[in-house]
Amino acid sequence: MNGDIRTFHPNGARDGILPFSNGKKQGLHQEYTSSGNPLVQSDFMDGELDGKKINYYYDDGYRRDVLYTKGKTEGKVLYTWLNGNTKSEVFAKDSLYEGPYHTWYADGKPESEGSYNMGITSGKWIEYYPNGVKKTEGENDETGELTGKKINYYRNGNIESEEESYTAGLLNGTYKSYYPNGKISKIITYNENEAVSIENFDINGKSLFTASGQNGELKFRNYYPDGILEMEGVLKNGSREGTWNF
């Protein structure tokens, strides 16, 4: 088969112009929306993507430009907001993302940054709020799992929570969360993602709740705001176990 295949939307508007040579896709393939706007533009050689491919995502407000060599993504992968600002930028090798990446909000302010290693996010990464303040920061190991410390922030820049230490994606050590004014709200100690102790505080730093244990069993204590014990007992796998005191 040689020549162009031309398709049309039900309203009569062109849908696609698809060139072929010897039965294989060849040259610039073009697809359009029913209103006539470009949807996909792809360069082919001997049936394989070779050259630039552009996708338009009108509902989400951006386009994607990718370079191909013999069917594989090679070089810069660029996402652009339809207002002209860059949405994200990363490089690819053998169809896998490689090296640093950056993303931006539509107004040009930074959204996130980090790096890829053979298609896997690894190393330190940061996410930002639209106002430019850090939202979250952490680090991934070479397999893409969380490692080390992870911190979440409020929009005002104060710390919202700290997760002390991850190993291969499992949380070990202390998780702390804070009220927006910086006062401690909760402390949880983990052992490989299992909570072994919990303590909640009111905004003035007074303990309201404690629990400790392991293997799915927690000794539970809850306090009134004036510090008097409200109830205590044992929770096993989320359900009350044995005698409770009120």
Side-chain angles (χ1 to χ4, degrees):
M1 176 184 173
N2 294 287
D4 295 347
I5 294 178
R6 296 176 180 265
T7 60
F8 299 87
H9 290 285
N11 65 358
R14 63 182 176 180
D15 177 27
I17 301 174
L18 315 172
F20 283 80
S21 177
N22 296 320
K24 297 180 180 180
K25 294 179 179 180
Q26 188 76 20
L28 179 61
H29 280 227
Q30 303 172 76
E31 299 175 38
Y32 299 87
T33 66
S34 58
S35 58
N37 292 318
L39 188 62
V40 183
Q41 298 173 341
S42 309
D43 287 318
F44 285 88
M45 180 177 289
D46 296 329
E48 289 186 314
L49 283 165
D50 198 281
K52 181 178 283 191
K53 180 179 181 181
I54 304 174
N55 292 79
Y56 293 85
Y57 303 92
Y58 294 104
D59 289 344
D60 297 316
Y62 67 89
R63 59 180 272 181
R64 177 177 182 260
D65 292 60
V66 185
L67 292 174
Y68 284 87
T69 300
K70 295 182 178 179
K72 292 185 177 182
T73 309
E74 297 285 349
K76 183 186 290 188
V77 178
L78 181 64
Y79 290 76
T80 307
W81 294 107
L82 295 183
N83 65 8
N85 288 337
T86 300
K87 183 180 188 299
S88 72
E89 183 178 272
V90 67
F91 286 82
K93 183 179 181 180
D94 290 333
S95 294
L96 296 175
Y97 288 159
E98 188 72 34
Y101 72 84
H102 295 84
T103 69
W104 293 268
Y105 290 103
D107 63 1
K109 292 180 180 177
E111 182 184 31
S112 68
E113 59 188 75
S115 60
Y116 284 96
N117 181 26
M118 298 182 66
I120 297 172
T121 54
S122 64
K124 294 182 178 180
W125 51 266
I126 303 174
E127 297 175 354
Y128 298 90
Y129 286 109
N131 64 0
V133 173
K134 280 184 187 179
K135 181 179 181 181
T136 309
E137 62 180 331
E139 186 173 356
N140 290 5
D141 63 20
E142 66 276 4
T143 68
E145 296 285 0
L146 282 168
T147 187
K149 191 172 187 177
K150 179 183 175 185
I151 305 176
N152 299 301
Y153 298 88
Y154 287 107
R155 286 176 177 268
N156 64 6
N158 287 345
I159 294 176
E160 181 178 4
S161 65
E162 297 176 286
E163 298 165 23
E164 187 176 83
S165 182
Y166 281 91
T167 304
L170 299 177
L171 181 57
N172 290 280
T174 303
Y175 165 93
K176 296 179 181 179
S177 65
Y178 301 85
Y179 291 104
N181 65 1
K183 296 281 188 177
I184 190 72
S185 167
K186 181 183 296 184
I187 299 176
I188 306 176
T189 302
Y190 285 90
N191 180 23
E192 295 188 344
N193 269 10
E194 181 186 1
V196 294
S197 69
I198 304 171
E199 187 168 11
N200 289 355
F201 302 86
D202 68 13
I203 200 166
N204 296 312
K206 185 176 292 184
S207 180
L208 296 175
F209 165 90
T210 64
S212 62
Q214 56 187 352
N215 299 323
E217 185 173 294
L218 292 174
K219 295 178 181 179
F220 172 98
R221 287 185 176 182
N222 203 59
Y223 298 88
Y224 290 108
D226 60 6
I228 296 176
L229 183 66
E230 178 185 9
M231 67 179 76
E232 65 177 341
V234 174
L235 286 173
K236 190 168 184 179
N237 298 321
S239 300
R240 290 180 181 177
E241 181 89 357
T243 301
W244 280 61
N245 297 318
F246 297 87

